[in-house]
C-alpha cells in the first residue's frame, strides 16, 4: 500500500468518525460542523476565484454575509440565515459589477451559505433529523463510491467530457442505482413500511448528488483549479469531499418542505414525510 493511499484512508476514517459523531449528537454539535463546512467551502471557492484581487469589495461583502449566516445557523435562526445569504449574494453581485468577479463571489455565498443552512436544518435536534441524515449519507456515499468503481471497471461514453473527462455514463447510472438501493434499504431499516415515494425520493437525491459533483467539477474547470484546496491530506479540499452531499442536502431541504403538501393530496406517504419533512 502506497503512502498516499494510506494517507487517504486515514483521513477518510478520521473525517467519517467526526461527521458521524456530530450527526449522532445533533444540536449545536452538528450545527457547528455545518458552519465549519460552510466557512471552508466559502474560503476555497473565493480563493479559487482569486476574489481578493479581482473583486475585493464583493469578496468582503461575501465574507460578511457568510459569517452572519454562520452566526444565525449556530443560533438556530434559519429565516435570518436565509436573509443573510440572499442579501449577501445580491450585495456581492452589485459590488462586483464594475470590476467583474461579483458573480463568482455571489455564487460562493449562495453555494456555501445554503450548504450550511440546509445541512443544519435537515439534522435539527430530533430523531427524525438523525434518520434523514443517515438516509442522505447512505445514498450519497454509496452513489459516489459505486460510480467511481463502476466507471473505472466498465468505461464507456463520457458523461460530460468538457466538464469532467473522467466521469462516464456507466459510472453515473450504476452509482445512482446503487444509491437508490442504499437509500431504500436504510429507510426500511429505520422505519417499517414505506411506499413507491421512497425510491423516488432516493432517486432524486442520488441524481442531485451526481449533479453536485459535476457542478463542482465545472467550477474548478472554469477557475483553472485541479483541487478546491489542500486542506484535507490526500483528499484535496472540503468542496471536493462534500460536492455531492451538499446538492443532495439542497434537494432534501426542498423536498422536505414540499412533501407535507403532497401528503395532503395523497401523493406521498408518512414515511417519506418523516424522512425529509423534518
Amino acid at each position: 500500500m502506497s503512502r498516499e493511499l494510506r494517507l487517504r484512508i486515514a483521513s477518510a476514517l478520521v473525517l467519517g468518525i467526526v461527521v458521524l459523531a456530530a450527526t449522532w449528537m445533533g444540536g449545536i454539535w452538528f450545527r457547528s460542523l455545518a458552519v465549519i463546512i460552510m466557512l471552508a467551502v466559502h474560503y476555497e471557492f473565493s480563493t479559487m476565484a482569486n476574489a481578493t484581487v479581482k473583486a475585493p469589495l464583493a469578496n468582503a461583502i461575501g465574507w460578511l454575509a457568510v459569517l452572519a449566516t454562520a452566526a444565525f445557523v449556530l443560533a438556530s435562526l434559519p429565516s435570518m440565515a436565509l436573509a443573510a445569504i440572499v442579501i449577501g449574494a445580491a450585495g456581492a453581485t452589485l459590488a462586483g459589477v464594475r470590476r467583474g468577479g461579483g458573480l463568482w463571489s455571489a455564487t460562493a455565498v449562495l453555494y456555501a451559505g445554503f450548504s450550511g443552512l440546509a445541512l443544519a436544518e435537515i439534522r435539527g435536534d430530533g430523531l427524525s433529523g438523525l434518520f434523514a441524515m443517515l438516509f442522505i449519507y447512505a445514498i450519497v456515499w454509496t452513489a459516489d463510491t459505486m460510480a467511481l468503481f463502476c466507471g473505472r471497471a466498465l468505461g464507456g461514453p463520457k458523461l460530460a467530457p468538457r466538464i469532467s473527462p473522467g466521469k462516464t455514463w456507466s459510472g453515473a447510472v450504476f452509482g445512482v442505482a446503487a444509491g437508490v438501493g442504499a437509500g431504500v434499504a436504510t429507510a426500511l431499516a429505520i422505519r417499517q413500511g414505506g411506499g413507491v415515494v421512497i425510491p423516488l425520493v432516493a432517486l432524486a437525491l442520488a441524481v442531485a448528488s451526481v449533479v453536485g459533483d459535476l457542478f463542482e467539477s465545472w467550477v474548478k474547470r472554469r477557475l483553472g483549479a485541479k483541487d478546491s484546496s489542500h486542506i484535507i491530506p490526500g483528499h484535496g479540499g472540503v468542496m471536493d469531499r462534500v460536492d455531492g452531499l451538499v446538492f443532495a442536502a439542497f434537494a432534501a431541504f426542498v423536498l422536505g418542505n414540499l412533501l407535507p403538501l403532497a401528503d395532503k393530496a395523497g401523493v406521498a406517504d408518512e414515511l417519506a414525510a418523516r424522512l425529509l419533512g423534518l
Side-chain angles (χ1 to χ4, degrees):
M1 186 183 295
S2 67
R3 180 180 179 278
E4 182 180 356
L5 182 56
R6 290 198 301 270
L7 186 62
R8 287 177 63 87
I9 293 173
S11 297
L13 287 174
V14 171
L15 289 173
I17 291 171
V18 170
V19 169
L20 290 175
T23 303
W24 175 264
M25 291 184 287
I28 188 63
W29 295 100
F30 190 82
R31 290 198 298 274
S32 298
L33 175 64
V35 164
I36 291 171
I37 291 173
M38 177 174 63
L39 295 175
V41 165
H42 188 264
Y43 164 76
E44 291 176 348
F45 205 130
S46 58
T47 300
M48 285 192 296
N50 197 20
T52 54
V53 174
K54 294 183 177 179
L57 180 57
N59 184 54
I61 292 173
W63 269 112
L64 286 174
V66 169
L67 290 173
T69 302
F72 291 134
V73 168
L74 288 173
S76 195
L77 297 171
S79 297
M80 297 297 290
L82 179 61
I85 294 169
V86 174
I87 293 172
T93 301
L94 294 175
V97 167
R98 290 187 176 181
R99 295 188 59 181
L103 288 178
W104 281 119
S105 293
T107 304
V109 172
L110 292 172
Y111 186 77
F114 280 121
S115 297
L117 177 59
L119 288 169
E121 285 302 295
I122 289 170
R123 176 57 185 93
D125 299 315
L127 192 60
S128 62
L130 173 62
F131 291 165
M133 288 308 306
L134 294 178
F135 181 66
I136 294 170
Y137 289 157
I139 294 169
V140 173
W141 292 347
T142 302
D144 185 53
T145 301
M146 294 305 295
L148 176 64
F149 283 106
C150 291
R152 288 182 175 180
L154 300 175
K158 301 298 183 181
L159 177 63
R162 293 186 178 181
I163 297 175
S164 183
K167 293 180 176 61
T168 62
W169 275 102
S170 62
V173 170
F174 278 94
V176 167
V180 171
V184 171
T186 302
L188 293 176
I190 289 172
R191 296 182 183 276
Q192 295 296 318
V196 68
V197 72
I198 295 301
L200 291 178
V201 169
L203 176 62
L205 300 192
V207 171
S209 174
V210 173
V211 173
D213 195 351
L214 286 175
F215 174 76
E216 201 245 358
S217 295
W218 175 78
V219 169
K220 290 191 297 184
R221 196 169 186 82
R222 286 294 303 271
L223 297 177
K226 182 180 182 296
D227 296 314
S228 58
S229 76
H230 300 286
I231 292 177
I232 306 174
H235 285 271
V238 174
M239 278 182 67
D240 297 323
R241 301 279 65 82
V242 303
D243 48 7
L245 175 63
V246 296
F247 261 66
F250 296 160
F253 186 67
V254 172
L255 288 172
N257 288 281
L258 294 180
L259 280 173
L261 299 176
D263 270 345
K264 295 178 181 178
V267 177
D269 60 18
E270 183 180 354
L271 177 58
R274 283 183 176 273
L275 281 172
L276 296 173
L278 315 180

